[in-house]
Amino acid sequence: MTVRETFVNTTTAALDSDPRIALVLADVSADRFTAAARRHPDRVINVGIREQAMIGIAGGLALSGMRPVVHTIAPFLVERPFEQIKISLDHQDAAAVLVSNGASYDYSQAGRTHMSPGDVALLDALPGWTVHVPGHPAEVEALLRTALAGEGRVYLRLSEQTNPRPEAVGPGWSVLRRGERGVVLAVGPMLGPVLQATSGLPVTVLYTATVRPFDSAGLNRAVEQAAPDVVLVEPYLSGTSAHLVAEALATTPHRVLPLGVRRDVELRAYGTPEEHAAAHGLDPAALAARIRAFLG
């Protein structure tokens, strides 16, 4: 089952069981909720390609006591209606669950308009967001169920680029390997490439599917048992969480190598997701070279 199928099934079940849940769509995935819309025509709302209105409607639903789920691909969910997220949700202290698909470059064949490497960095400009970046379809259901049952503002970032197997989806870093030479932080779908890239290296590998709030305590525990050289590997803009690593280790002399989607180039080619990963240095071979050079 894909991440989007897991999202659809989990949300459909929630619509059937919880009268607080409402789903707001902007055409994307509407065909997957046809049966749910027939059963709950007042709580499955497709506004068409009107993403700003989609967020405004979600804010109104939240203020009326509903728990809105808002879904479309990442650039249309976060970047295009960002002002509405700022005003209709944050400024009104209204809570919603935003669920994107497509991540940084899953839809590379559709061009730059359908890519969103800057979504998490944008949400960092607003307070009070929980951000989940699952790395496997099996991680999506638990994270989404918790978000639907909660009250806060949640962003669930889905990608078809996934890890070979699921890992823990608790609130902090999970230790997958231990080593004394340094600490490598793998976020969401970057775990698979990181594990390949660090094979044979004496490093600690930490994994998380929840990047906000940031687990400072877990990072500090790892650094206490290894060299304070930290490699941060994120599936969106390079360095998005580097300031949080620096804050967490403010009293510990350390080095940080932030890896992610490059900020110094604007790729104008279409290509495949794999080709984009390679161009950004996020494939296992490139990661291995950069990590080994940084650790010496």
Side-chain angles (χ1 to χ4, degrees):
M1 186 178 296
T2 67
V3 291
R4 192 190 288 197
E5 289 168 343
T6 303
F7 158 66
V8 171
N9 293 344
T10 305
T11 303
T12 298
L15 285 163
D16 291 339
S17 63
D18 187 347
R20 293 188 317 138
I21 303 299
L23 176 64
V24 189
L25 303 167
D27 270 359
V28 172
S29 297
D31 58 323
R32 299 169 185 248
F33 288 101
T34 302
R38 283 198 298 264
R39 292 195 299 274
H40 312 290
D42 57 332
R43 291 191 287 122
V44 178
I45 304 164
N46 181 14
V47 303
I49 51 173
R50 299 175 180 86
E51 288 83 3
Q52 289 89 345
M54 174 180 65
I55 299 296
I57 289 169
L61 289 167
L63 292 173
S64 70
M66 304 293 286
R67 183 63 164 157
V69 180
V70 191
H71 170 68
T72 185
I73 70 171
F76 304 158
L77 182 62
V78 177
E79 294 179 332
R80 182 173 293 174
F82 181 72
E83 184 179 10
Q84 282 67 38
I85 294 174
K86 179 180 72 175
I87 300 301
S88 298
L89 296 180
D90 265 74
H91 187 63
Q92 299 293 334
D93 197 22
V97 180
L98 308 187
V99 182
S100 70
N101 198 50
S104 293
Y105 41 72
D106 283 6
Y107 297 136
S108 55
Q109 73 279 3
R112 188 64 173 89
T113 57
H114 286 57
M115 302 182 199
S116 186
D119 53 350
V120 176
L122 265 178
L123 285 179
D124 265 353
L126 303 174
W129 283 88
T130 295
V131 178
H132 300 305
V133 188
H136 190 278
E139 298 172 7
V140 173
E141 181 175 359
L143 292 169
L144 182 54
R145 286 186 180 278
T146 299
L148 295 176
E151 301 293 338
R153 290 184 289 277
V154 178
Y155 178 45
L156 181 63
R157 187 185 204 259
L158 303 184
S159 174
E160 299 301 329
Q161 312 305 308
T162 59
N163 301 317
R165 62 177 184 272
E167 300 293 344
V169 292
W173 296 105
S174 298
V175 181
L176 301 188
R177 288 180 184 164
R178 289 196 181 276
E180 73 283 353
R181 185 59 193 86
V183 177
V184 182
L185 307 178
V187 174
M190 294 314 305
L191 178 61
V194 163
L195 289 176
Q196 293 183 59
T198 58
S199 178
L201 289 179
V203 295
T204 292
V205 176
L206 304 184
Y207 171 74
T208 193
T210 300
V211 291
R212 304 290 184 276
F214 187 85
D215 180 19
S216 298
L219 175 57
N220 270 283
R221 285 193 297 270
V223 167
E224 287 173 0
Q225 302 173 37
D229 294 331
V230 179
V231 181
L232 171 65
V233 188
E234 301 177 282
Y236 30 78
L237 278 184
S238 173
T240 295
S241 299
H243 67 291
L244 295 172
V245 172
E247 290 173 15
L249 302 178
T251 60
T252 302
H254 65 280
R255 298 189 304 147
V256 181
L257 174 65
L259 301 177
V261 175
R262 294 171 59 184
R263 294 171 179 262
D264 61 332
V265 295
E266 173 68 23
L267 295 181
R268 293 181 171 84
Y270 286 70
T272 65
E274 293 75 20
E275 288 170 329
H276 278 260
H280 290 295
L282 295 176
D283 60 299
L287 286 173
R290 298 169 79 181
I291 292 171
R292 287 175 182 274
F294 175 70
L295 297 179

